[in-house]
Amino acid sequence: MPLSDKLYKSSFKGINFYINSITTSGGRKVVVHEFVDTNKRIVEDLGGLQETFNVEAIIFGDDNYFQDRNSLINILNQEGSGIFVHQWGGAVTVTLEGFTVTETESNLGELRATLNFRRV
């Protein structure tokens, strides 16, 4: 069974790729007020954090590898938010905070990218 059959299809701004893993982070914004010469402290809740998604995206080599690769890199370099679609969360409006692309000689025709999204 090919690896692509074991992975979920996903997309960002209409460019398709596979997801090997996704990590979602969130939580609360808090400020801790501490007082001199005492163990007393107050934790102030400032509201929810926007979710972030760290995604390992993969594009596999086939006849369109370089076209798919270049399309993904071009879209990652465009400014503005876009729609990120994935298996577990559906369609989410996000802004790309950064990305890292890895291509190795031992895996010719395969691009792996770490994408860091923040929910808008």
Side-chain angles (χ1 to χ4, degrees):
M1 170 184 288
L3 182 58
S4 61
D5 290 345
K6 299 176 185 176
L7 302 174
Y8 292 106
K9 289 185 179 179
S10 187
S11 68
F12 176 59
K13 292 185 177 181
I15 301 299
N16 296 315
F17 49 85
Y18 292 96
I19 289 182
N20 188 37
S21 68
I22 182 169
T23 302
T24 304
S25 299
R28 308 292 300 169
K29 295 179 282 188
V30 297
V31 174
V32 178
H33 302 278
E34 300 209 17
F35 300 92
V36 177
D37 294 327
T38 178
N39 289 334
K40 183 178 179 187
R41 67 187 47 83
I42 298 172
V43 178
E44 184 178 2
D45 187 327
L46 301 177
L49 289 170
Q50 292 291 349
E51 283 182 317
T52 60
F53 307 97
N54 296 313
V55 177
E56 184 183 0
I58 301 173
I59 292 179
F60 293 101
D62 60 15
D63 295 337
N64 298 322
Y65 172 73
F66 287 105
Q67 178 182 337
D68 294 344
R69 172 198 180 274
N70 293 338
S71 294
L72 179 63
I73 291 172
N74 288 336
I75 208 76
L76 295 175
N77 281 305
Q78 289 181 359
E79 67 179 87
S81 59
I83 304 296
F84 169 51
V85 179
H86 67 97
Q87 179 71 21
W88 304 284
V92 181
T93 303
V94 297
T95 297
L96 180 71
E97 291 187 320
F99 67 92
T100 304
V101 171
T102 304
E103 295 174 282
T104 64
E105 190 174 312
S106 61
N107 289 324
L108 292 176
E110 179 180 298
L111 172 142
R112 290 182 181 252
T114 302
L115 312 177
N116 303 308
F117 296 118
R118 180 171 300 275
R119 183 187 289 267
V120 175

